[in-house]
């Protein structure tokens, strides 16, 4: 049966405001600038030198232990929950021991490093030298460096050439490993505490010895887990000590009591099971913090289905007299903390992500084990607090299904109105669950899926490798560029096959066959090299904390996640740029082969000139007027469907034995900016290097001229849900869309219709183009303006000019 919802509690939640502490934090956060700490690198270098000669599993455990014992900590007056990677309100550590020499600017004498695409951070000479010393020690033997050497031995410079041409991503210095971007085992962690994990490790060690086991790596794994688990507990006790010291000097009685409560909480968790909401949230923070400090570049703080595993704590606290306002203040603290966690990324990751806030995903609602919708009062509170905080993160995903209650949808739309930038997004529970089941996952496991990063669905019970080993996406627009240039990429390198000069193709089918050959060559080579990286990973890196808290199977296997196991590893890929390619091929078929309006020779010459001159603009207008996806035109939609199915067939034809085949997820990020740098002018009328179409199902900006429902019909016509778990559709509506309950109800109905007809994902920017143009001209007046990019939201003024224009010139609809 569905849960009985307390509607009186929902009304009380509607009236909850951010607490005084929350508001103090928000003010301090806004005033805080970018800061980067070299503190972690100081201690990683020290530990690595001290443990030379020991097994890598133990060395990595001792490295994290040294970091947690020594990094500077702080408690701020407004903290409800304590624990940050740096003592500052906003700040980040670096990950040279994991990524290698990945930070742009540390070898220059400018005294700063690049933090984002357009912002730098000043660092002292002493701190820069600490980073350099770490790069000298770890750079040449890091996992990325050693993997690139292996790839070079196999394919020469091809892998780096393909990355430079934006044909694939991510680059290895993103340091994504299995499960590093996914959710921790929150339900078990809160139930047993870290002492429970430690005791389990000890039992495994004794049992393995008693059985005469000979794989010493298993013993080393369980020993490494014990080391890091105790290190996290000791780190919490450092905060308890600090809180007690601060309390002894505190004059204000209320603040003194608050500090003593913090100390008491940090003494109990994460060592022991959480007994209430405060302890649950504090335990989560310490564990996520330690995960970040183990690999700071992958600082994703994923909540998973928090409205489910935290619900009992929430209800029990309310029944025991804890005020709703107190619970809300604690929850808002952690939402804000995780939503403003920064990191320093590599150059390529800046291009594909645009932002340097760790993407964290929070799921609400969705089906449960009994097949009923699980939306509850805590789901509602999460939405309310996200609306009140008005931050660009977390990425909130509402798991839509036919049983999603109206009150949940209405609160979601009101949250979208408050944030404006696509928060929450809507994902189709039924499509995603059925996709997992179609691929052999039992329903009871599939129903617990959660979001990874933006929208990618993953299973908490299995180690997710999406993005790991350098395999996340390949660029079909770049593949079309290869096809039109006989295998030459945007940088003039022979990255593709020599499939022939398109001028000599006698038919559209010859051109299309060449495109598929280029696709298979690129994608299968990426998968192959990913497999090589997968086999190498454990030789140069181990992540014992992520392993033991990431998936429960690691405990039984006695095996670090860097040694993937066929029974517990999942692999995903995103075939990007399908709409750009389909519209381009539709133009070629119509203009060159069917109507013979222009020759292939003339088209290629014009494309290579980027539509230069009067004739170039004339042909560009012909390309723009050709049928476009998003207008419910069968000719255009059928081309999208054809490419979608053929691309999926190529992906599925790759033999990933002994592991599962790659699952297809067509998501967002700001990848269309990154991917656009890998394609010259396209026959759909797009100019060279401009961003591609956003998301994966969104029409070419400005070309969806028949209204929003035509877009939905096109999206349903192409049937991406038959081959892909999720496909991102962005839409932009004017602010008046949600100006009344009637308009909110229209958008709810609009969403329900799309999902009921097989749509897997949709999200809304509630913005006016006029306002966006003004924000680009006067950014100082719009520091809080949030927009939806591809699969995530960001502050408009922090985006590149190209992505700002992309959002501005998307079609703006009303209902």
């Amino acid at each position: 049966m569905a849960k009985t919802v307390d509607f009186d509690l929902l009304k009380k939640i509607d009236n909850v405001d951010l607490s005084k502490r929350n508001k103090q934090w928000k003010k301090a956060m806004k005033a805080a600038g970018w800061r980067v700490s070299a503190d972690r690198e100081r201690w990683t270098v020290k530990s690595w030198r001290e443990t030379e000669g020991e097994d890598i599993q133990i060395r990595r455990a001792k490295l994290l232990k040294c970091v947690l014992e020594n990094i500077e900590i702080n408690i701020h007056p407004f903290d409800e929950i304590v624990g940050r990677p740096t003592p500052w309100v906003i700040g980040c550590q670096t990950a040279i021991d994991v990524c290698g020499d990945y930070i742009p600017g540390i070898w220059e004498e400018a005294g700063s490093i690049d933090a984002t695409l357009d912002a730098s951070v000043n660092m002292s000479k002493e701190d820069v030298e600490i980073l350099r010393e770490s790069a000298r020690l770890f750079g040449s033997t890091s996992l990325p460096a050693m993997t690139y050497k292996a790839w070079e031995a196999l394919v020469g410079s091809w892998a780096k050439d393909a990355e430079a041409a934006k044909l694939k991503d991510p680059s290895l210095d993103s340091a994504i490993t299995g499960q590093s971007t996914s959710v921790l085992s929150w339900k078990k962690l809160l139930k047993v505490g870290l002492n429970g994990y430690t005791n389990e490790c000890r039992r495994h060690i004794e049992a393995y010895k008693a059985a005469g086991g000979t794989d010493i790596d298993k013993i080393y794994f369980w020993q490494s887990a014990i080391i890091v688990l105790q290190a996290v507990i000791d780190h919490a006790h450092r905060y308890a000590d600090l809180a007690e010291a601060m309390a002894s000097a505190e004059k204000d009685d209320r603040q003194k009591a608050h500090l003593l409560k913090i100390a008491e909480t940090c003494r109990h968790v994460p060592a022991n099971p959480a007994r209430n909401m405060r302890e649950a949230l504090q335990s989560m923070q310490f564990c996520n913090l330690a995960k970040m400090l183990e690999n700071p570049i992958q600082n994703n703080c994923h909540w998973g289905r928090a409205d489910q595993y935290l619900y009992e704590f929430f209800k029990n606290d309310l029944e025991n007299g804890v005020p709703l306002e107190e619970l809300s203040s604690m929850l808002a603290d952690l939402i804000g903390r995780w939503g403003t966690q920064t990191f320093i990324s590599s150059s390529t990751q800046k291009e594909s992500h645009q932002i340097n806030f760790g993407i964290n995903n929070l799921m609400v609602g969705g089906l449960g084990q009994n097949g009923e919708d699980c939306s509850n009062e805590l789901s509602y509170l999460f939405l309310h607090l996200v609306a009140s905080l008005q931050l660009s993160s977390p990425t909130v995903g509402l798991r839509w299904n036919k049983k999603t209650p109206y009150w949940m949808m209405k609160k979601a739309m009101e949250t979208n109105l408050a944030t404006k930038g696509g928060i929450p997004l809507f994902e189709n529970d039924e499509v995603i669950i059925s996709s997992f089941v179609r691929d052999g996952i039992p329903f009871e496991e599939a129903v617990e899926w959660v979001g990874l990063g933006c929208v990618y669905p993953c299973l908490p019970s299995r180690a997710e490798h999406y993005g790991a080993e350098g395999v996340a996406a390949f660029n079909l627009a770049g593949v079309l560029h290869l096809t039109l240039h006989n295998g030459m990429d945007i940088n003039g390198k022979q990255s593709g096959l020599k499939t022939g000069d398109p001028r000599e193709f006698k038919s559209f089918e010859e051109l299309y066959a060449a495109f598929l050959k280029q696709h298979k060559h690129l994608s299968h080579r990426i998968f192959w090299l990913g497999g090589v990286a997968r086999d190498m990973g454990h030789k140069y890196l181990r992540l014992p904390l992520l392993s033991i808290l990431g998936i429960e199977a690691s405990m039984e296997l006695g095996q670090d996640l860097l040694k993937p196991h066929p029974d517990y590893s999942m692999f995903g890929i995103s075939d990007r740029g399908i709409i750009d390619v389909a519209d381009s091929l539709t133009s070629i078929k119509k203009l060159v082969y069917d109507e013979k309006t222009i020759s292939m020779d003339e088209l290629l010459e014009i494309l290579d000139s980027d539509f230069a001159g009067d004739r170039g603009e004339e042909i560009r207008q012909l390309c723009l007027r050709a049928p476009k996806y998003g207008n419910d035109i069968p000719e255009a939609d059928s081309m999208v469907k054809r490419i979608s199915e053929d691309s999926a067939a190529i992906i599925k034809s790759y033999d990933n034995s002994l592991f599962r085949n790659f699952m297809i997820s067509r998501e967002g990020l700001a990848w269309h900016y990154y991917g656009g740098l890998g394609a010259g002018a396209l026959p759909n009328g797009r100019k060279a290097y401009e961003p591609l179409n956003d998301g994966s199902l969104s029409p070419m900006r400005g070309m969806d001229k028949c209204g929003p429902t035509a877009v939905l019909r096109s999206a349903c016509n192409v049937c991406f849900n038959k081959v892909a778990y999720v496909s991102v559709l962005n839409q932009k509506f004017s602010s008046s869309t949600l100006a009344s309950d009637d308009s909110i109800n229209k958008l709810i109905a609009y969403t329900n219709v799309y999902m009921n007809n097989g749509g897997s994902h949709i999200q809304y920017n509630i913005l006016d183009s006029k306002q966006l143009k003004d924000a680009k001209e006067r950014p100082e007046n719009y520091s809080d303006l949030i927009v939806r990019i591809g699969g995530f939201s960001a502050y408009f003024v922090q985006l590149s000019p190209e992505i700002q224009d992309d959002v501005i010139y998307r079609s703006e609809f009303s209902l």
Side-chain angles (χ1 to χ4, degrees):
M1 293 179 62
K3 288 181 178 177
T4 301
V5 175
D6 184 346
F7 286 96
D8 288 337
L9 179 55
L10 298 188
K11 291 179 182 178
K12 292 177 182 177
I13 290 172
D14 283 332
N15 293 318
V16 167
D17 192 9
L18 294 179
S19 70
K20 181 179 179 181
R21 292 185 192 276
N22 297 154
K23 292 175 180 178
Q24 289 173 336
W25 166 80
K26 194 171 180 181
K27 181 178 180 181
M29 178 271 294
K30 287 179 176 293
W34 274 86
R35 298 189 72 174
V36 179
S37 173
D39 201 15
R40 179 181 177 277
E41 302 296 348
R42 185 196 312 272
W43 303 112
T44 58
V45 169
K46 178 180 184 295
S47 175
W48 206 244
R49 286 179 171 152
E50 289 176 348
T51 60
E52 187 173 358
E54 297 185 45
D55 183 82
I56 186 173
Q57 189 77 42
I58 302 298
R59 292 188 79 186
R60 290 299 308 185
K62 289 184 176 180
L63 181 149
L64 179 58
K65 179 176 184 289
C66 186
V67 170
L68 292 173
E69 286 177 343
N70 291 287
I71 61 166
E72 186 179 354
I73 65 173
N74 192 16
I75 297 174
H76 296 273
F78 40 74
D79 283 348
E80 289 277 13
I81 307 299
V82 298
R84 285 184 170 83
T86 70
W88 312 310
V89 178
I90 301 289
C92 63
Q93 303 284 357
T94 55
I96 293 172
D97 59 301
V98 178
C99 302
D101 187 3
Y102 78 105
I103 303 176
I106 67 169
W107 299 107
E108 300 172 7
E109 299 303 324
S112 63
I113 62 174
D114 296 333
T116 67
L117 284 173
D118 60 358
S120 60
V121 177
N122 292 326
M123 296 190 73
S124 69
K125 290 183 178 180
E126 178 187 1
D127 283 350
V128 170
E129 184 53 38
I130 291 171
L131 299 184
R132 290 174 176 176
E133 182 62 17
S134 184
R136 293 185 192 103
L137 178 62
F138 293 106
S140 62
T141 58
S142 67
L143 175 55
M146 298 307 292
T147 302
Y148 277 124
K149 287 180 183 178
W151 285 358
E152 187 175 3
L154 294 172
V155 295
S157 65
W158 183 88
K160 288 194 173 182
D161 290 344
E163 288 176 356
K166 316 304 183 189
L167 292 171
K168 68 170 287 289
D169 74 280
S171 54
L172 293 175
D173 52 15
S174 65
I176 299 174
T177 67
Q179 200 68 8
S180 65
T181 58
S182 193
V183 68
L184 298 183
S185 299
W186 293 126
K187 189 174 182 180
K188 177 180 178 179
L189 192 153
L190 297 177
K191 182 179 180 180
V192 306
L194 299 192
N195 281 337
Y197 281 88
T198 298
N199 293 335
E200 197 174 346
C201 286
R202 291 195 175 110
R203 289 194 296 270
H204 277 290
I205 291 172
E206 294 308 313
Y208 196 69
K209 288 179 180 179
T214 59
D215 186 353
I216 192 63
D217 285 344
K218 290 183 180 292
I219 299 296
Y220 287 155
F221 173 76
W222 289 313
Q223 288 177 341
S224 73
I226 292 171
I227 292 170
V228 294
L229 291 167
Q230 187 59 50
V232 179
I233 294 170
D234 292 343
H235 190 63
H237 290 172
R238 290 184 65 200
Y239 276 93
D241 293 341
L242 177 59
E244 287 170 352
M246 293 173 66
S248 67
E250 180 60 56
K251 304 298 184 185
D252 183 88
D253 289 341
R254 292 186 65 182
Q255 183 63 6
K256 181 191 287 284
H258 182 64
L259 287 166
L260 291 175
K261 173 59 72 175
I262 288 174
E264 177 189 349
T265 303
C266 295
R267 294 280 180 220
H268 187 75
V269 293
N272 302 297
R275 298 168 298 190
N276 52 48
M277 190 74 154
R278 179 180 294 277
E279 290 181 354
L281 297 177
Q282 185 62 74
S283 186
M284 291 173 67
Q285 171 57 12
F286 278 134
C287 292
N288 239 332
L289 173 60
K291 169 185 172 286
M292 285 191 285
L293 290 171
E294 190 174 45
N295 180 5
I297 198 172
Q298 291 306 326
N299 65 353
N300 307 67
C301 304
H302 288 313
W303 292 84
R305 304 191 74 180
D307 61 345
Q308 304 306 307
Y309 62 77
L310 289 175
Y311 184 71
E312 186 176 349
F313 296 109
F314 175 66
K315 291 293 286 185
N316 286 344
D317 276 6
L318 287 175
E319 290 171 4
N320 290 324
V322 181
L324 173 62
E325 290 73 18
E326 182 178 334
L327 295 172
S328 300
S329 182
M330 291 186 289
L331 199 56
D333 183 299
L334 199 57
I335 293 171
R337 179 102 37 116
W338 288 4
T340 53
Q341 178 56 53
T342 61
F343 67 102
I344 295 295
S345 64
S346 63
S347 298
T348 55
Q349 198 169 15
K350 290 185 180 75
E351 292 172 339
S352 62
H353 285 62
Q354 292 274 313
I355 61 166
N356 287 67
F357 287 98
I359 301 174
N360 68 102
N361 194 302
L362 167 67
M363 306 303 297
V364 292
L367 296 172
Q369 293 291 334
N370 61 359
E372 296 294 333
D373 183 78
C374 292
S375 302
N376 58 42
E377 300 92 338
L378 185 54
S379 317
Y380 197 86
L381 179 59
F382 269 117
L383 291 173
H384 182 80
L385 293 175
V386 166
S388 300
L389 286 164
Q390 294 185 328
L391 303 173
S392 65
S393 185
T395 293
V396 181
L398 188 147
R399 288 180 40 165
W400 181 96
N401 59 83
K402 291 184 179 69
K403 298 178 182 180
T404 300
Y406 169 78
W407 56 263
M408 188 70 168
M409 291 294 288
K410 187 170 189 293
K411 189 65 172 179
M413 293 304 178
E414 290 169 349
T415 302
N416 201 332
L417 179 60
T419 61
K420 298 187 183 299
I423 303 173
L425 57 85
F426 301 88
E427 288 192 88
N428 193 325
D429 225 13
E430 296 166 5
V431 167
I432 293 172
I433 292 170
S434 64
S435 296
F436 276 119
V437 172
R438 177 188 66 212
D439 286 350
I441 302 296
F443 172 84
E444 59 270 17
E445 191 178 357
V447 79
E448 300 299 337
W449 73 271
V450 298
L452 180 159
C454 298
V455 299
Y456 183 95
C458 64
L459 301 173
S461 50
R462 302 186 185 226
E464 180 55 63
H465 285 252
Y466 178 65
E469 296 94 35
V471 182
F474 47 80
N475 186 351
L476 290 183
V479 171
L480 180 59
H481 183 95
L482 294 176
T483 307
L484 296 177
H485 295 85
N486 201 13
M488 301 291 284
D489 67 31
I490 194 72
N491 296 322
K493 298 287 184 69
Q494 189 72 45
S495 296
L497 295 174
K498 291 185 177 181
T499 49
D501 185 343
R503 296 169 179 82
E504 299 176 2
F505 294 156
K506 303 303 182 184
S507 68
F508 174 79
E509 293 304 321
E510 284 188 54
L511 174 68
Y512 190 74
F515 169 76
L516 294 184
K517 286 179 183 178
Q518 295 285 1
H519 181 335
K520 186 172 183 179
H521 172 72
L522 175 72
S523 58
H524 283 212
R525 179 168 278 203
I526 290 169
F527 294 151
W528 170 48
L529 294 181
V532 173
R534 183 191 312 156
D535 290 340
M536 291 185 62
H538 69 280
K539 298 176 183 177
Y540 302 101
L541 182 66
R542 303 290 174 88
L543 299 170
L545 184 73
L546 175 65
S547 299
I548 204 68
L549 299 183
I551 59 166
E552 296 181 28
S554 291
M555 178 70 81
E556 296 298 323
L557 294 170
Q559 184 172 301
D560 195 281
L561 281 169
L562 268 293
K563 291 183 179 181
H565 193 281
D567 292 343
Y568 299 102
S569 295
M570 300 286 286
F571 300 87
I573 191 68
S574 188
D575 44 353
R576 307 270 197 164
I578 290 176
I579 306 301
D580 302 83
V581 172
D583 283 347
S584 294
L585 290 178
T586 299
S587 291
I588 293 175
K589 184 175 185 298
K590 180 181 179 66
L591 298 176
V592 176
Y593 292 104
D594 293 347
E595 298 180 354
K596 296 181 173 50
T597 305
I598 56 176
S599 67
M600 180 65 80
D601 182 66
E602 186 176 19
L603 176 63
L604 293 178
E605 183 179 345
I606 290 297
L607 292 177
D608 288 342
S609 75
D610 199 17
F611 298 108
D614 292 341
R615 181 59 175 161
E617 182 57 28
E618 180 185 344
I619 291 177
R620 181 168 182 258
Q621 292 304 316
L622 288 174
C623 292
L624 289 171
R625 287 197 294 271
K628 293 287 187 293
Y629 160 84
N631 296 287
D632 195 21
I633 300 172
E635 179 183 1
D637 294 350
S638 63
M639 185 68 77
V640 175
K641 184 178 181 181
R642 181 182 185 183
I643 295 171
S644 167
E645 293 175 352
D646 288 344
S647 177
I650 288 172
I651 292 168
K652 294 299 182 183
S653 72
Y654 181 78
D655 183 3
N656 198 40
S657 303
L658 300 165
F659 296 90
R660 299 179 65 86
N661 284 339
F662 282 83
M663 58 177 273
I664 300 167
S665 177
R666 295 167 176 166
E667 56 167 357
L669 294 171
W671 186 92
H672 54 299
Y673 170 82
Y674 173 90
L677 299 176
L682 292 177
N684 63 350
R686 167 198 161 274
K687 289 198 167 185
Y689 306 111
E690 286 185 351
L692 302 174
N693 301 330
D694 64 272
S696 59
L697 260 182
S698 301
M700 184 178 183
R701 55 190 167 277
M703 291 293 104
D704 42 348
K705 298 179 179 296
C706 297
T709 54
V711 175
L712 295 196
R713 286 194 292 271
S714 283
C716 292
N717 290 341
V718 302
C719 299
F720 274 17
N721 63 324
K722 301 292 185 182
V723 295
Y725 280 60
V726 67
S727 303
V728 172
L729 174 60
N730 288 310
Q731 291 199 299
K732 185 171 75 174
F733 287 96
S734 64
S735 297
S736 61
T737 297
L738 297 184
S740 66
D741 280 351
D742 181 59
S743 56
I744 288 175
N745 288 334
K746 285 182 180 179
L747 194 55
I748 292 173
Y750 180 83
T751 306
N752 290 340
V753 166
Y754 179 53
M755 295 301 204
N756 270 306
N757 282 277
S760 64
H761 168 283
I762 196 166
Q763 56 198 16
Y764 305 112
N765 271 315
I766 310 298
L767 297 161
D768 298 317
S769 297
K770 181 178 179 181
Q771 180 188 33
L772 292 171
K773 291 176 182 178
D774 192 52
K776 187 179 179 183
E777 293 296 322
R778 286 177 280 276
E780 66 278 4
N781 297 333
Y782 294 91
S783 61
D784 294 333
L785 181 62
I786 300 170
V787 296
R788 198 69 173 177
I789 308 305
F792 70 97
S793 300
Y795 296 106
F796 182 79
V797 298
Q798 295 180 1
L799 299 169
S800 64
E802 294 86 353
I803 288 294
Q804 288 181 333
D805 286 343
D806 167 64
V807 177
I808 289 171
Y809 294 109
R810 294 175 190 176
S811 296
E812 180 181 309
F813 297 122
S814 59
L815 290 174

